[in-house]
Amino acid sequence: SQAGPISASGVYEALPSFRDVPSSEKQNLFLKKLSLCYVVFDFSDPSKNLREKEIKRQTLLELVDYISSVSSKFNEVAMQEVTRMVAANLFRTFPSPNHDSKILEMYDMEDEEPAMDPAWPHLQIVYELLLRFVVSPETDAKLAKRYVDHPFVLKLLDLFDSDDQREREYLKTILHRIYGKFMVHRPFIRKAINNIFYRFIFETEKHNGIAELLEILGSIINGFALPLKEEHKLFLVRALIPLHKPKCVSMYHQQLSYCITQFVEKDFKLADTVIRGLLKYWPVTNSSKEVMFLGELEEVLEATQTAEFQRCMVPLFRQIGRCLNSLHFQVAERALFLWNNDHIRNLITQNRTVILPIIFPALERNTRGHWNPAVQSLTLNVRKIFSDADQAIFDECLARYQEDEAKQKELQEKRELTWKRLEDVAASKVVSNEAVMVSKSISPIAID
């Protein structure tokens, strides 16, 4: 990439403008200007090659204008040279992050300052040139696919791990356009993105471009034809749902949630699979992540029909019951907000004979003793919804709860009595070194 068209004297010289040459020479000048831009400069030192960098920047801008205004089809030579110049400037290896597990535990993407690539003034124009080339009506996809090929696409995908968000935004737009124009590459692009996700989920848990890749996929999923292919359903189960597992899910959760919801809206029968998947990866000790999961759950339930809801409602409401009793008020509050959604409230009310016995103890515990007044107030509202819907079931659940509470209290008293008797026996033997034997009359109570 360093071997550019330097003049015989070794000086990097600007070429004539497209305006200054006849139309017959413009194609040849286009190739020469592309060749001039093969030279890659070092931007880590701002004081080096200032004149040459400016010549290259102006040349790149001229190339962008030429590609935007050209009125004849690009031939194979032009396509080859464009992709070669793009490859020379863009395709590079990023410093490898240390994926040691201890480093990962300390790593927090949200706390990092956004990185700015010093070469961006040139890189941006090269990205703009590639974008204009891909979307140009003068770029014939049947010819261009030989140069915008699988290795080229893979190299573009590698760049999604760039620390610079500006670069990832350009890549997102370009890859989406390539997906739209080069139909022959679509299965390959989906598979390659799949592989990035697998490596991220099961090996590294470190990648900068997951949100951008999911944004592209959101648009792709939106365009899936019905009925959904088995390949697409497998992608949901094997890649999208496990993306809830990594610790840094908050960095891309919005885009992930959109993709998941798109699947359920396309095929409502997938709701049971998605909800069980969410329950599988439900966070245990991360409250902010739990709030996100509850938000996503509401979106999925919004698109869920009665039959699918009934398949998963028992494990689902066991988890919601645990959320209702969370000491983190935002988790409890977010779970209670589910009843504010008309569709979800109707689903719950229709299946109250199953759901109320599951969550009644949680509602009762909140009413009697949750530390947060807002949670207590919301819980009372939910209790009222149930009692208004079916007073008989509500009274039955209340009686059962009180009965269980009485049994629990009796068991606790027995347990305390057992410990008291054990302590008394131990105290009576403490003067000697004699071993303490527990009498047969005490053992069954202790075991109980």
Side-chain angles (χ1 to χ4, degrees):
S1 64
Q2 299 294 333
I6 312 275
S7 65
S9 61
V11 180
Y12 190 86
E13 295 291 352
L15 293 165
S17 168
F18 283 110
R19 293 191 300 273
D20 300 335
V21 298
S23 296
S24 57
E25 287 296 312
K26 283 185 179 179
Q27 178 77 10
N28 198 31
L29 181 60
F30 176 62
L31 298 177
K32 285 181 180 175
K33 284 182 183 285
L34 284 170
S35 188
L36 185 72
C37 293
Y38 285 165
V39 180
V40 179
F41 295 105
D42 178 12
F43 281 83
S44 60
D45 184 350
S47 62
K48 279 174 68 178
N49 305 112
L50 288 176
R51 177 181 158 278
E52 289 84 353
K53 286 174 183 174
E54 183 55 27
I55 290 171
K56 181 180 174 183
R57 194 181 73 83
Q58 290 298 333
T59 306
L60 284 168
L61 289 169
E62 287 179 35
L63 287 168
V64 170
D65 287 341
Y66 179 82
I67 287 174
S68 304
S69 59
V70 71
S71 56
S72 58
K73 294 283 182 189
F74 290 109
N75 61 29
E76 282 204 58
V77 176
M79 289 178 179
Q80 185 176 23
E81 292 305 302
V82 167
T83 49
R84 276 183 62 198
M85 188 279 287
V86 166
N89 283 274
L90 298 185
F91 298 162
R92 60 212 192 277
T93 306
F94 298 118
S96 177
N98 188 342
H99 293 308
D100 181 80
S101 59
K102 289 180 184 173
I103 298 290
L104 270 173
E105 282 174 22
M106 298 186 293
Y107 181 82
D108 187 350
M109 292 169 77
E110 292 183 48
D111 290 346
E112 293 223 332
E113 287 293 316
M116 300 293 180
D117 194 318
W120 183 247
H122 278 203
L123 290 174
Q124 180 181 11
I125 309 170
V126 178
Y127 274 117
E128 189 62 35
L129 184 148
L130 176 58
L131 177 59
R132 301 283 179 95
F133 173 72
V134 169
V135 302
S136 171
E138 308 307 331
T139 302
D140 182 358
K142 288 180 182 175
L143 271 182
K145 71 181 181 185
R146 298 177 193 174
Y147 307 102
V148 181
D149 55 5
H150 288 183
F152 187 91
V153 169
L154 279 178
K155 290 282 189 182
L156 273 181
L157 282 165
D158 286 342
L159 294 173
F160 272 88
D161 202 15
S162 168
D163 286 330
D164 196 323
Q165 188 181 358
R166 300 168 300 181
E167 182 166 16
R168 299 198 303 271
E169 282 296 317
Y170 256 108
L171 284 162
K172 179 180 74 178
T173 307
I174 290 165
L175 187 69
H176 194 201
R177 295 292 190 162
I178 289 173
Y179 188 90
K181 186 159 190 162
F182 298 87
M183 290 184 71
V184 68
H185 290 340
R186 288 182 181 183
F188 177 80
I189 291 172
R190 290 197 302 269
K191 187 177 178 182
I193 292 175
N194 230 351
N195 291 337
I196 290 172
F197 287 166
Y198 289 153
R199 188 158 187 268
F200 169 70
I201 296 162
F202 301 112
E203 292 180 28
T204 65
E205 288 201 12
K206 164 70 179 80
H207 194 286
N208 292 308
I210 300 298
E212 286 78 12
L213 290 168
L214 284 167
E215 214 165 311
I216 296 167
L217 282 167
S219 184
I220 291 171
I221 294 163
N222 197 289
F224 280 165
L226 294 174
L228 289 172
K229 292 180 182 175
E230 199 59 33
E231 166 208 343
H232 301 328
K233 293 179 186 177
L234 284 174
F235 169 68
L236 168 69
V237 172
R238 293 179 180 174
L240 286 186
I241 291 175
L243 274 171
H244 290 87
K245 174 176 168 278
K247 290 177 185 175
C248 59
V249 65
S250 60
M251 301 298 292
Y252 56 80
H253 184 262
Q254 185 184 344
Q255 294 84 353
L256 175 60
S257 181
Y258 177 78
C259 290
I260 296 275
T261 311
Q262 285 288 305
F263 264 106
V264 180
E265 287 176 358
K266 287 264 175 191
D267 183 354
F268 63 85
K269 290 181 181 176
L270 291 170
D272 176 46
T273 304
V274 166
I275 290 169
R276 287 180 185 275
L278 279 173
L279 294 175
K280 179 181 177 182
Y281 294 106
W282 201 275
V284 178
T285 58
N286 188 331
S287 299
S288 59
K289 197 172 170 183
E290 214 168 348
V291 171
M292 284 191 301
F293 272 50
L294 286 162
E296 183 178 351
L297 180 64
E298 180 172 350
E299 289 181 22
V300 172
L301 287 172
E302 181 76 65
T304 302
Q305 303 300 314
T306 304
E308 281 63 44
F309 180 78
Q310 287 171 342
R311 285 197 193 100
C312 61
M313 62 185 175
V314 172
L316 172 60
F317 278 87
R318 281 181 186 146
Q319 182 57 60
I320 288 173
R322 287 190 282 273
C323 293
L324 292 174
N325 286 152
S326 173
L327 290 176
H328 196 293
F329 80 96
Q330 287 179 325
V331 175
E333 201 172 54
R334 191 66 189 81
L336 288 159
F337 282 158
L338 291 173
W339 275 265
N340 290 349
N341 185 300
D342 292 341
H343 179 69
I344 298 170
R345 190 170 63 246
N346 289 338
L347 286 173
I348 294 170
T349 306
Q350 287 165 22
N351 298 280
R352 59 188 177 274
T353 52
V354 176
I355 293 170
L356 184 56
I358 295 170
I359 63 163
F360 190 88
L363 293 172
E364 203 61 25
R365 281 192 290 270
N366 269 10
T367 307
R368 296 183 183 192
H370 199 284
W371 67 269
N372 186 276
V375 170
Q376 281 195 339
S377 174
L378 288 165
T379 304
L380 287 169
N381 292 341
V382 171
R383 283 176 92 252
K384 189 172 187 309
I385 289 169
F386 280 115
S387 64
D388 290 349
D390 196 328
Q391 188 66 47
I393 294 173
F394 186 87
D395 291 342
E396 191 182 312
C397 289
L398 181 59
R400 193 180 307 146
Y401 178 80
Q402 288 169 344
E403 189 182 317
D404 290 343
E405 197 177 35
K407 282 181 185 173
Q408 197 65 34
K409 190 177 179 183
E410 186 184 337
L411 188 65
Q412 183 65 23
E413 286 171 358
K414 276 186 182 178
R415 192 175 289 123
E416 285 172 6
L417 180 62
T418 301
W419 279 110
K420 176 81 170 61
R421 291 171 74 180
L422 285 169
E423 285 165 8
D424 290 346
V425 172
S428 67
K429 305 286 186 179
V430 79
V431 284
S432 66
N433 290 327
E434 190 182 338
V436 177
M437 298 294 290
V438 179
S439 69
K440 286 182 181 179
S441 61
I442 294 176
S443 296
I445 302 172
I447 292 165
D448 186 36

